Amino acid sequence: MQDNAPPPERPDTGTVADAYSRNWVDLYAPAATRPYLRLSRADRPIGTWLLLIPCWWGLALAMLYDGRASWFDLWIFSGCAIGAFLMRGAGCTWNDISDRDIDAQVARTRSRPIPSGQVSVKGAVIWMIVQALVSFAILLTFNAAAIRLGILALIPVAIYPFAKRFTWWPQVFLGLAFNWGALLAWTAHTGRLDAPAVVLYLAGIAWTLFYDTIYAHQDTEDDALIGVKSTARLFGENTAQWLRRFLMATVGLMGIAVVYAALPNAPVLALAVAVCGPWAMGWHMAWQLRGLDIHNTDKMLQLFRVNRDTGIIPLLFFAAALVL
């Protein structure tokens, strides 16, 4: 997942600057589809993982909460994966449509499909609608409460691209959007929204503040020149201290969510195993802090990408708790 070496020669000149070297889009996708797949960030899968993982957290804790599982949960698991890929693509397309003028002024983003001229705004709008409609079709297979939540998710998604224009905390809006799946998957399983899911959602937002502040440090110089706000610019040299606070909030809130979810029906051993998940996640976040160098953009990208593993760690503990 990490890639520190200079990228090898790539087979397509339209490659986006911060894409994984020799990614499947550049190597194998038909040429006509590459600009649209790049627009959806298919060449940069970390965002899909970061959107999907809270969904799986929510599903696992919901199953722990009511002590039941069904074949439909396998569809929730799979449907969330497909939906995360599509909705991340639709959201990124909307983000790039909204930010096309800003992206053209930032070194890391000017190679994206719209500012580089690979995709027209009209083509991007059509592509966004197609992805959203397929996602909506998946959503319709869930219960009515989950469908309503899925529709409400469009609000933070729509606001996020503009947040950096009016607040120093746009990462909060990203967290609201990216962790909505914790609420959705919980509700898809239980048929209602319960308190543990809300606390888990808050834990996810704290985690997003952690990893996206790291990510935003890649663009602080360009952002300052064009007047774009971010927590990275706000915190500056105090970033490490703030990240520690987000770490503690993530672990603490997730721990509360786990205890609250497990107490009604889970065995004591399952509760003990599940509680270890946030603890282990916190150690992985602490490991990232030891390597933090806000002036090294390559290092910031590397640390951002390892957050896929950060999020999977508690999921493994939740899965173990379910089989006890």
Side-chain angles (χ1 to χ4, degrees), residues 36 39-41 87-99 114 123-129 131:
Y36 295 94
L39 195 58
S40 297
R41 311 286 202 274
M87 280 309 296
R88 190 257 181 147
C92 288
T93 303
W94 169 242
N95 186 79
D96 284 9
I97 292 169
S98 305
D99 282 355
I114 296 177
V125 170
I126 294 171
W127 179 235
M128 176 183 68
I129 293 171
Q131 294 173 97

Side-chain angles (χ1 to χ4, degrees), residues 6 19 50 72 81 93 130 241 321 324:
L50 296 176
F72 189 71
T93 303
V130 169
Q241 293 93 309
L324 292 175

Side-chain angles (χ1 to χ4, degrees), residues 247-279:
L247 185 163
M248 291 186 288
T250 302
V251 173
L253 288 166
M254 187 179 288
I256 293 170
V258 169
V259 172
Y260 205 166
L263 280 178
N265 292 295
V268 173
L269 180 58
L271 169 60
V273 170
V275 167
C276 289
W279 175 82

Side-chain angles (χ1 to χ4, degrees), residues 143-201:
N143 58 52
I147 292 171
R148 289 192 292 269
L149 272 175
I151 294 171
L152 283 174
L154 295 176
I155 296 174
V157 170
I159 294 173
Y160 168 66
F162 305 100
K164 63 175 94 44
R165 296 165 169 84
F166 63 80
T167 177
W168 286 100
W169 294 82
Q171 281 68 28
V172 171
F173 289 87
L174 182 68
L176 291 170
F178 256 56
N179 295 281
W180 201 272
L183 306 177
L184 185 86
W186 177 288
T187 305
H189 172 84
T190 63
R192 64 186 186 278
L193 185 60
D194 298 293
V198 177
V199 179
L200 182 66
Y201 179 57

Side-chain angles (χ1 to χ4, degrees), residues 18-312:
D18 58 353
Y20 293 95
S21 63
R22 302 190 64 79
N23 63 80
W24 73 272
V25 174
D26 292 347
L27 291 175
Y28 306 116
T33 68
R34 289 174 191 165
Y36 295 94
L37 291 170
R38 290 170 184 145
L39 195 58
S40 297
R41 311 286 202 274
D43 54 348
R44 286 154 285 167
I46 178 61
T48 299
W49 281 107
L50 296 176
L51 185 61
L52 172 60
I53 287 168
C55 301
W56 286 349
W57 289 349
L59 176 60
L61 288 190
M63 294 168 69
L64 200 64
Y65 181 69
D66 62 14
R68 62 180 180 85
S70 69
W71 285 109
F72 189 71
D73 292 316
L74 184 60
W75 167 242
I76 296 173
F77 182 90
S78 304
C80 284
I82 301 167
F85 178 82
L86 291 168
M87 280 309 296
R88 190 257 181 147
C92 288
T93 303
W94 169 242
N95 186 79
D96 284 9
I97 292 169
S98 305
D99 282 355
R100 59 190 183 275
D101 295 329
I102 292 175
D103 285 347
Q105 302 177 63
V106 177
R108 186 179 58 84
T109 59
R110 64 170 59 107
S111 59
R112 287 178 176 174
I114 296 177
S116 66
Q118 297 179 60
V119 178
S120 68
V121 174
K122 180 180 178 181
V125 170
I126 294 171
W127 179 235
M128 176 183 68
I129 293 171
V130 169
Q131 294 173 97
L133 288 176
V134 179
S135 298
F136 185 62
I138 294 172
L139 180 65
L140 290 177
T141 67
F142 296 160
N143 58 52
I147 292 171
R148 289 192 292 269
L149 272 175
I151 294 171
L152 283 174
L154 295 176
I155 296 174
V157 170
I159 294 173
Y160 168 66
F162 305 100
K164 63 175 94 44
R165 296 165 169 84
F166 63 80
T167 177
W168 286 100
W169 294 82
Q171 281 68 28
V172 171
F173 289 87
L174 182 68
L176 291 170
F178 256 56
N179 295 281
W180 201 272
L183 306 177
L184 185 86
W186 177 288
T187 305
H189 172 84
T190 63
R192 64 186 186 278
L193 185 60
D194 298 293
V198 177
V199 179
L200 182 66
Y201 179 57
L202 296 175
I205 293 171
W207 179 44
T208 301
L209 281 162
F210 179 91
Y211 66 66
D212 205 60
T213 296
I214 291 173
Y215 183 78
H217 266 289
Q218 297 176 88
D219 300 326
T220 50
E221 292 184 6
D222 287 333
D223 287 351
L225 288 173
I226 61 180
V228 169
K229 299 178 174 68
S230 72
T231 50
R233 286 190 61 207
L234 178 64
F235 302 154
E237 296 297 328
N238 295 319
T239 292
Q241 293 93 309
W242 278 96
L243 292 183
R244 289 188 188 95
R245 294 167 187 165
F246 298 145
L247 185 163
M248 291 186 288
T250 302
V251 173
L253 288 166
M254 187 179 288
I256 293 170
V258 169
V259 172
Y260 205 166
L263 280 178
N265 292 295
V268 173
L269 180 58
L271 169 60
V273 170
V275 167
C276 289
W279 175 82
M281 181 181 183
W283 276 108
H284 196 267
M285 295 168 75
W287 169 78
Q288 291 181 55
L289 284 176
R290 288 198 291 273
L292 190 73
D293 181 356
I294 64 172
H295 302 293
N296 184 336
T297 57
D298 291 338
K299 185 64 174 179
M300 293 298 94
L301 180 59
Q302 176 191 15
L303 290 177
F304 166 72
R305 287 176 172 174
V306 301
N307 275 276
R308 179 200 65 173
D309 303 334
T310 308
I312 287 176

